[in-house]
Amino acid sequence: MERKLRATRGLDRDKRLRRLAGMLARKGYPEGMALRVVRQALEEEGEETEFLEGEGF
């Protein structure tokens, strides 16, 4: 996850979220868990994740 996180820096926030969550989904993570993991990782980087609140994540 760390490598993909670094590789997506500088991308649009939504595109980054889709790529990271998609990677975890392909590894077998359930959708909700994948989104929580991505959100936490983005927050740890200082990325704003409030946009996820209204979307049921």
Side-chain angles (χ1 to χ4, degrees):
M1 170 92 171
E2 292 297 320
R3 187 172 68 186
K4 189 71 164 179
L5 196 59
R6 284 191 307 269
T8 60
R9 284 191 186 131
L11 292 177
D12 175 63
R13 188 172 52 190
D14 292 336
K15 185 180 285 189
R16 193 172 188 205
L17 172 69
R18 285 192 308 272
R19 287 189 183 179
L20 293 168
M23 178 208 56
L24 292 176
R26 286 187 298 277
K27 290 181 181 268
Y29 283 77
E31 180 182 357
M33 181 183 289
L35 292 170
R36 282 192 302 274
V37 169
V38 170
R39 180 179 182 181
Q40 181 179 353
L42 292 176
E43 285 177 350
E44 288 174 4
E45 278 197 335
E47 185 81 34
E48 192 66 45
T49 61
E50 289 178 3
F51 69 100
L52 295 174
E53 293 293 329
E55 298 181 25
F57 302 120

